[in-house]
């Protein structure tokens, strides 16, 4: 299993992220940087993620290995009538990205692709049990609340997963992972679903075996 996940967080947290010290670069360089990286988190943005997706699938083809695409959405748990400010939401996104970045390996890609949406490419998946281990560890990252300003916010996550090459490639792979994410969201907080039918999915809370249809 992937026991090397999370063991080198100080290295992996900066492998894809960019720390923006904008006074050292020109406006044109800054514009170019923002087309590939998310300005809030420093993570790869959608355009760079799509490039990495193509490269990761090509590498998997050459090596004859399996890789996984994970789509994660973060959900702050709020009391009715207590909406978050924009800055508070940004703080949650930033904190969530830091937790996720502390977990991924150098060989993987973590990208911010929506407001509270992240895509993760995980290479060299060897066993079906690997992806369950990874999914459960990712959801556990959000067991503790996030402190922002004078508030402590409980955050939950939903996770959809599919594998290459068995679940398609390119846009089809992204679509299937997104479909699995929607199933996880319908199942409730802190759940994950795997698109591939032959893999059983273990609920992170109930531990009941279910199957994605």
């Amino acid at each position: 299993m992937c026991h090397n996940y999370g063991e080198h967080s100080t290295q992996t947290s900066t492998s894809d992220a960019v720390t923006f010290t904008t006074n050292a670069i020109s406006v044109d360089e800054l514009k170019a940087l923002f087309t590939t990286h998310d300005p809030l988190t420093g993570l790869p943005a959608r355009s760079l993620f799509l490039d990495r997706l193509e490269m990761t699938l090509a590498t998997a083809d050459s090596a004859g290995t399996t890789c996984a695409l994970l789509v994660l959405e973060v959900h702050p748990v709020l009391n009715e009538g207590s909406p978050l400010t924009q800055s508070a939401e940004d703080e949650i996104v930033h904190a969530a990205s830091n937790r996720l970045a502390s977990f991924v390996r150098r060989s993987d890609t973590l990208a911010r692709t929506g407001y509270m949406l992240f895509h993760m490419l995980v290479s060299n998946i060897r066993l079906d049990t690997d992806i369950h281990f990874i999914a459960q560890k990712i959801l556990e990252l959000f067991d503790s609340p996030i402190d922002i300003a004078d508030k402590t916010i409980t955050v939950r996550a939903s996770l959809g997963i599919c594998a290459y090459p068995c679940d398609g490639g390119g846009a089809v792979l992204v679509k299937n992972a997104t479909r699995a994410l929607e199933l996880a969201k319908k199942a409730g907080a802190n759940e994950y679903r795997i698109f591939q039918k032959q893999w059983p999915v273990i609920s992170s809370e109930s531990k009941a075996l279910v199957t994605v249809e």
Side-chain angles (χ1 to χ4, degrees):
M1 294 176 64
C2 298
H3 294 294
N4 57 333
Y5 269 86
E7 293 179 358
H8 48 310
S9 60
T10 57
Q11 295 177 341
T12 57
S13 61
T14 58
S15 60
D16 273 326
V18 173
T19 300
F20 294 111
T21 53
T22 57
N23 59 335
I25 61 178
S26 68
V27 172
D28 288 342
E29 289 173 327
L30 186 61
K31 288 180 179 178
L33 185 62
F34 282 177
T35 63
T36 59
H37 287 79
D38 170 48
L40 176 60
T41 64
L43 294 175
R46 182 177 295 274
S47 61
L48 183 54
F49 161 74
L50 293 175
D51 287 343
R52 296 282 181 85
L53 175 63
E54 184 176 345
M55 293 171 56
T56 299
L57 300 191
T59 300
D61 285 338
S62 298
T65 58
T66 296
C67 60
L69 172 61
L70 294 77
V71 186
L72 179 137
E73 188 169 338
V74 175
H75 314 284
V77 180
L78 304 175
N79 295 325
E80 187 174 350
S82 301
L84 291 173
T85 64
Q86 182 72 50
S87 61
E89 290 182 350
D90 287 349
E91 287 188 57
I92 290 173
V93 170
H94 195 270
S97 72
N98 285 341
R99 293 186 184 190
L100 291 168
S102 72
F103 177 77
V104 298
R105 304 170 302 179
R106 284 188 178 275
S107 57
D108 301 331
T109 294
L110 172 64
R112 183 188 178 209
T113 50
Y115 191 65
M116 293 196 179
L117 189 70
F118 300 87
H119 280 60
M120 185 185 297
L121 289 167
V122 181
S123 59
N124 196 24
I125 297 296
R126 294 166 295 172
L127 301 170
D128 293 355
T129 49
D130 283 352
I131 202 62
H132 293 292
F133 174 83
I134 293 168
Q136 289 167 349
K137 289 298 181 182
I138 288 174
L139 294 182
E140 287 173 8
L141 294 173
F142 298 95
D143 283 348
S144 59
I146 292 176
D147 293 324
I148 54 170
D150 59 343
K151 294 183 179 180
T152 299
I153 305 296
T154 298
V155 175
R156 295 291 179 255
S158 300
L159 184 60
I161 308 164
C162 62
Y164 178 82
C166 54
D167 295 330
V172 173
L173 193 70
V174 175
K175 179 180 178 181
N176 289 341
T178 303
R179 180 186 172 202
L181 171 65
E182 293 304 316
L183 292 172
K185 289 166 65 175
K186 289 179 181 178
N190 272 30
E191 294 282 347
Y192 70 89
R193 292 294 182 265
I194 298 177
F195 179 81
Q196 189 180 6
K197 291 183 179 180
Q198 60 263 40
W199 287 5
V201 181
I202 303 175
S203 164
S204 60
E205 292 183 351
S206 67
K207 305 300 181 186
L209 290 175
V210 298
T211 309
V212 174
E213 298 296 342

